[in-house]
Amino acid sequence: MNDQSQTFRTSLLEENDGPGHNPTDNATMGELIAARFSRRGFLKGSLAVSAIAATVSPMALMLADDARAGSKSAFTFEEVEAGIDEKHHVAAGYDADVLLRWGDALFPDSPEFDPLNQTPEAQAKQFGYNNDYVGYIPIDGSSEHGILVVNHEYTNEHLMFPGIVKVVEGKLEVAPADQKRVDIEMAAHGGTVVEIRKTGGKWQVVKDGKLNRRITANTEMQLSGPVAGHDRVKTNADSSGKKVFGMINNCSGGVTPWGTYVSGEENIHGYFLGKLPEDSKEAANYKRMGIPEGVYDWGNFHDRFDLSKDPNEANRFGWVVEIDVNDPNSIPKKRTAMGRFKHEGADSIVAKDGRVVFYLGDDERFDYVYKFVTASKFNPDDRAANLDLLDEGTLYVAKFDVDGTIAWLPVVFGEGPLTEANGFRSQADVLIETRRAGDLLGATKMDRPEDIGPNGVNGKVYVMLTNNTKRKDDQVDPVNPRAKNAFGHIVEIAEEDGNFTATKGKWEILLKCGDPSVADVGASFSTDTTKNGWFGMPDNCAVDADGRLWVSTDGNSPKETGRTDGIWAVDTEGAARATSKLFFRVPVGAEMCGPLMLPDMATMMVAVQHPGDGGEDWKPFGRPSYYEDLSTRWPDFKDNMPVRPSVLAITKKGGGKIGV
Ligand code: FEO
Ligand code: CA
Ligand code: CA
Ligand code: CA
C-alpha cells in the first residue's frame, strides 16, 4: 500500500481511530443504562458523590466528605500557559534538559548522527526513534545513578528521511521504501537500555556503561510461557516455535519489582503485508487484530512480514516482552502468559500476599482492560528467583457492571466459554486469541484503554481511556458514558479490600476530559481547574512515590483542543479531586509520552514523540510538515538538523521535590 500518504500512515498507528476490530455484541449494558442513570441522578442530587457510592452507607459518605473538604491540591507549582508553538515549555522554576535525542550515541563506538547518511548499522548503535515509555532501574537504590529504559515505538519516514516526500494537492506522498530504508526503520524500532548519572544536578548518559544496549526489530528473543513451541507460532525460519527476532511498536511498558524492563507490543498489524493462504485457520484471529494493515514496507524485503509467505509470524508479535537489563547479552522473553493483543503498558504492584499484579490495556476502540496476577510470590531477597515469575499466573479481563462493581474474569482455558466448542484446545490457543476470549467472556468494551497505573499509597488504580469517536448513543454505558467520546476519560478502580489480586472491586469515573467551558462536551474537571489545566486524550500516566497522578496526552492539537499535548498533574484526593494543572507542554506536532518520576521525586523524565508531525492546522505554519519543510526544528533548531524525538530530564532549579 505504497500510495498511502504518510499522514494517513501515522494516524493509523498512533490513534487507532481506523475501523474497529471488535465485532461482538458484548454488553454495552444498553438495556440497563436507563436504570443506572436515573439512580446516579438521584445520588447526585442527594449526596453529591459518584456512582460507586451507591453501595456505601450514607454515614460513611458523610465522613468521607468531611475528610475531603479539609484537603487541598497536592500541587503548588505555577501552571504553564496552554498553547502551541515550536518549543517545549515547563513550569516556571524548572529546567527541562534534553538528555537523549534520536541518533545520539549510546556506545563509545557509536557513529556521530548524520541524518543525510543514515545506515542501519549506525542506527543500531544510536538512540532510536519515537521514544514512548521511559522507565528507571536504580543502581544501588540511587535516584541519581541508574539504568534508563526507553521504548522506540515506531518511525515517521516523512520526518526522518530526506528526499522521499512529494506534496500533492496539499497532502504528503511518501515514496515506497527500498531495503536500506526498511532496515534503518527496523533498527530505529525497539528499545534502549542506557546507564545515566546525575552530576552537579544535571543528568548525563554514561556512554561506556557496561549495560548499555539497543534492542531492535531484529534482536533475538524467546517465546516463553504457555504459547512457546505451539504449532501456531512455528514459522519457516523457526521450527521450534520459540525463537523470534525483534519487538515492534512497543508503546508503553513498565519496570518490574525485581528490576527488569517490560515492554508492550501494540500496533503490530501495520508491519504485515500480503494475503493469508486460502485454507489458513488464522483468518478470524488476524481479522480481530486488524492484520495485515500494510502500513510499512518491511514485508517487501523480509518474507516473515508477508503473510502469504509466513502465515504464522504475526502470532509471534503482540506480547509483553521482558528484558533483563543486568545482562546486556540476555535474550529478551516474550511473556505469552500475559496475553496477546495491542498491549499498551505493563505497570505493576506487589500485592499484600507477595504476588505481583500487572495492569494491561488493549488500545483499540471497544477493547478491554486486563490484569495479570503471578502464580508465585515476589522474592525481594533473591532477584534470580523472580526472573521467570511472568511465565505462570492468571490473566483476567474486566467486566465493569452498572452497579459500580468490577468483576475480573479469568481468561483460562476450560473455564466458561473458553472450550473446544469455541475453537480453543489449550491455554496457548486462548492466549494467542486473547481478544476473542474476552469477547466470549462478555468483557466490557472500553474507549481505548491505554496506560493503567496502580497507586500503592491509596490502593486505587487509574485507567486512561484516550477517546472513541465511534461510540454511538446506544452504545453508551456507565463506564464509557459519552457517545462520540472525542476527549476520553479516566476511570478509578478500588480493588476489594485494597487487595490488588482481588477478582472483584468497585469503579468510578475520576475525570471526563475536554473543555469544561463547553457544556456539550460534558467534561468533569473541578471548578478550580483553569483554562490551561483541562486536557483531552489521556494516554500515559505515572503515579509517584507520594501517590500523586501525572497524566500525559496524545491528540491535543490546534484543531482538537487549541493546545499541544503535555503533562498534567491531576489531584485524586479530597476537595481538590479532579483538579488538573499543566506542568509541561510539547512543541507543535508532538505527542507527550513518559512520564516517569524517579523515586526521590527530584527528577521527572518525559518523552517528546514525533515533534513536527503536522502543521496544517497551526496558523503560523499552515501546511503539511516533512523533512524539507518542518513546522519546528525542535530540539536543535539548526537548519541542517531534522526534528528529533527526545527524552528530557525535568528538575527544579536548585533541586528538590517536583510539583510543590
Ligand atoms: Fe501507542 Fe496506545 O498508544
Ligand atoms: Ca500510548
Ligand atoms: Ca505508565
Ligand atoms: Ca502515545
Side-chain angles (χ1 to χ4, degrees):
M1 305 244 240
N2 295 329
D3 57 351
Q4 290 173 330
S5 81
Q6 185 68 46
T7 306
F8 176 57
R9 300 167 66 161
T10 302
S11 70
L12 270 175
L13 279 179
E14 87 192 28
E15 288 175 15
N16 285 357
D17 217 16
H21 300 296
N22 190 337
T24 66
D25 295 326
N26 273 12
T28 50
M29 300 184 263
E31 71 280 11
L32 294 167
I33 293 165
R36 170 70 165 173
F37 277 166
S38 57
R39 187 160 193 192
R40 296 183 77 179
F42 165 73
L43 283 167
K44 209 171 162 191
S46 60
L47 291 166
V49 291
S50 48
I52 195 169
T55 56
V56 180
S57 78
M59 181 56 75
L61 290 171
M62 278 186 266
L63 291 172
D65 279 354
D66 284 350
R68 284 175 194 174
S71 64
K72 295 197 196 88
S73 172
F75 306 99
T76 54
F77 65 86
E78 195 181 318
E79 188 168 50
V80 173
E81 192 167 341
I84 303 151
D85 60 30
E86 53 276 85
K87 292 186 276 195
H88 67 264
H89 298 263
V90 68
Y94 291 83
D95 290 321
D97 301 315
V98 175
L99 176 66
L100 276 163
R101 300 163 297 186
W102 166 48
D104 276 348
L106 295 170
F107 306 95
D109 65 344
S110 299
E112 187 117 341
F113 180 57
D114 180 355
L116 298 179
N117 294 292
Q118 299 177 51
T119 67
E121 295 76 23
Q123 177 64 82
K125 291 187 170 183
Q126 298 163 336
F127 194 61
Y129 209 75
N130 273 346
N131 30 226
D132 196 299
Y133 174 73
V134 184
Y136 179 80
I137 300 168
I139 294 176
D140 296 330
S142 175
S143 282
E144 302 200 334
H145 183 206
I147 304 296
L148 193 76
V149 298
V150 184
N151 282 348
H152 301 296
E153 186 181 19
Y154 68 104
T155 47
N156 295 98
E157 287 64 30
H158 64 301
L159 303 174
M160 286 176 76
F161 299 106
I164 64 166
V165 172
K166 267 197 311 198
V167 183
V168 181
E169 292 172 4
K171 292 231 157 47
L172 302 182
E173 278 188 8
V174 179
D178 58 17
Q179 175 148 9
K180 185 177 174 194
R181 194 179 105 195
V182 162
D183 290 347
I184 295 167
E185 292 168 20
M186 291 177 75
H189 276 67
T192 285
V193 176
V194 64
E195 188 177 331
I196 56 169
R197 188 191 287 276
K198 196 177 177 190
T199 316
K202 294 289 172 194
W203 284 93
Q204 277 168 346
V205 167
V206 181
K207 249 193 265 181
D208 55 359
K210 299 283 177 289
L211 304 180
N212 293 2
R213 179 174 192 185
R214 264 309 310 285
I215 313 278
T216 73
N218 289 309
T219 302
E220 182 181 340
M221 306 202 172
Q222 194 185 320
L223 277 173
S224 178
V227 174
H230 193 278
D231 281 349
R232 294 174 72 180
V233 290
K234 290 178 180 165
T235 62
N236 295 336
D238 173 34
S239 60
S240 76
K242 290 181 180 168
K243 187 172 170 180
V244 186
F245 288 92
M247 61 182 199
I248 47 177
N249 211 267
N250 294 74
C251 192
S252 196
V255 162
T256 64
W258 51 96
T260 59
Y261 160 31
V262 281
S263 180
E265 292 183 312
E266 192 190 31
N267 290 308
I268 61 157
H269 57 294
Y271 299 83
F272 294 89
L273 303 169
K275 261 193 147 166
L276 275 177
E278 285 295 327
D279 59 346
S280 174
K281 296 193 179 76
E282 302 299 343
N285 163 25
Y286 284 7
K287 188 167 179 215
R288 185 69 176 80
M289 289 284 282
I291 300 167
E293 189 79 70
V295 175
Y296 289 97
D297 299 324
W298 300 6
N300 292 332
F301 304 97
H302 298 275
D303 287 352
R304 66 190 176 112
F305 294 108
D306 182 338
L307 300 184
S308 69
K309 294 175 179 155
D310 222 333
N312 284 348
E313 182 75 359
N315 277 338
R316 292 140 63 93
F317 293 86
W319 304 104
V320 169
V321 184
E322 184 178 20
I323 297 152
D324 182 1
V325 300
N326 277 17
D327 174 4
N329 299 311
S330 64
I331 296 180
K333 291 182 176 171
K334 297 200 173 187
R335 299 295 187 183
T336 64
M338 300 171 87
R340 174 171 170 271
F341 42 90
K342 293 186 184 174
H343 276 282
E344 178 73 24
D347 278 324
S348 62
I349 191 154
V350 181
K352 287 175 186 168
D353 70 359
R355 290 183 291 162
V356 189
V357 182
F358 288 78
Y359 287 90
L360 310 166
D362 181 356
D363 182 5
E364 186 104 47
R365 289 179 294 104
F366 301 111
D367 260 292
Y368 308 133
V369 166
Y370 297 84
K371 75 175 176 185
F372 177 79
V373 181
T374 59
S376 301
K377 293 176 183 177
F378 165 58
N379 183 342
D381 304 318
D382 182 359
R383 183 174 186 273
N386 303 305
L387 285 181
D388 286 317
L389 269 188
L390 297 183
D391 277 346
E392 276 182 60
T394 306
L395 181 68
Y396 297 91
V397 67
K399 184 165 192 283
F400 293 85
D401 276 311
V402 293
D403 62 355
T405 62
I406 178 174
W408 292 102
L409 311 171
V411 186
V412 172
F413 174 66
E415 292 203 18
L418 308 184
T419 60
E420 286 210 27
N422 283 313
F424 301 112
R425 293 166 165 224
S426 65
Q427 182 64 10
D429 281 334
V430 168
L431 292 167
I432 289 168
E433 293 184 79
T434 303
R435 283 182 163 186
R436 193 163 70 82
D439 298 342
L440 288 161
L441 288 164
T444 305
K445 298 173 170 185
M446 307 298 286
D447 288 347
R448 292 189 54 199
E450 300 239 31
D451 236 0
I452 305 176
N455 185 340
V457 175
N458 67 6
K460 304 281 174 60
V461 181
Y462 308 106
V463 184
M464 306 298 119
L465 297 154
T466 293
N467 59 15
N468 181 357
T469 53
K470 298 283 159 55
R471 188 175 290 272
K472 300 198 178 88
D473 288 326
D474 63 357
Q475 294 174 310
V476 163
D477 62 39
V479 76
N480 299 283
R482 289 186 289 184
K484 298 190 192 69
N485 179 9
F487 304 107
H489 57 290
I490 300 175
V491 168
E492 182 185 71
I493 297 170
E495 302 279 28
E496 192 173 57
D497 301 325
N499 176 7
F500 292 103
T501 66
T503 54
K504 301 190 276 202
K506 292 178 181 169
W507 64 266
E508 63 180 296
I509 289 177
L510 171 64
L511 191 55
K512 287 182 275 179
C513 305
D515 185 348
S517 71
V518 180
D520 280 355
V521 169
S524 63
F525 290 92
S526 86
T527 50
D528 288 341
T529 304
T530 73
K531 67 180 182 11
N532 304 309
W534 65 267
F535 60 84
M537 303 77 150
D539 181 345
N540 300 117
C541 69
V543 177
D544 69 22
D546 277 356
R548 298 178 301 171
L549 178 64
W550 302 84
V551 174
S552 67
T553 60
D554 167 14
N556 291 270
S557 67
K559 194 165 141 221
E560 306 302 335
T561 57
R563 56 197 59 205
T564 62
D565 283 323
I567 305 278
W568 277 267
V570 180
D571 276 297
T572 59
E573 305 301 310
R577 185 170 160 91
T579 305
S580 169
K581 284 176 78 174
L582 179 56
F583 181 66
F584 176 91
R585 67 172 160 97
V586 295
V588 62
E591 173 180 344
M592 188 81 263
C593 301
L596 160 76
M597 187 74 95
L598 265 54
D600 67 356
M601 294 187 282
T603 301
M604 179 189 278
M605 300 279 183
V606 300
V608 176
Q609 197 185 62
H610 62 78
D613 185 20
E616 297 92 324
D617 302 325
W618 180 47
K619 275 208 181 118
F621 192 71
R623 55 193 189 273
S625 173
Y626 61 103
Y627 191 97
E628 284 83 6
D629 186 18
L630 288 160
S631 53
T632 176
R633 287 197 181 265
W634 188 92
D636 299 317
F637 296 102
K638 287 185 183 150
D639 287 346
N640 59 355
M641 271 293 162
V643 275
R644 301 169 79 179
S646 303
V647 171
L648 276 60
I650 300 177
T651 50
K652 205 176 209 173
K653 289 184 195 296
K657 181 167 147 186
I658 287 180
V660 291

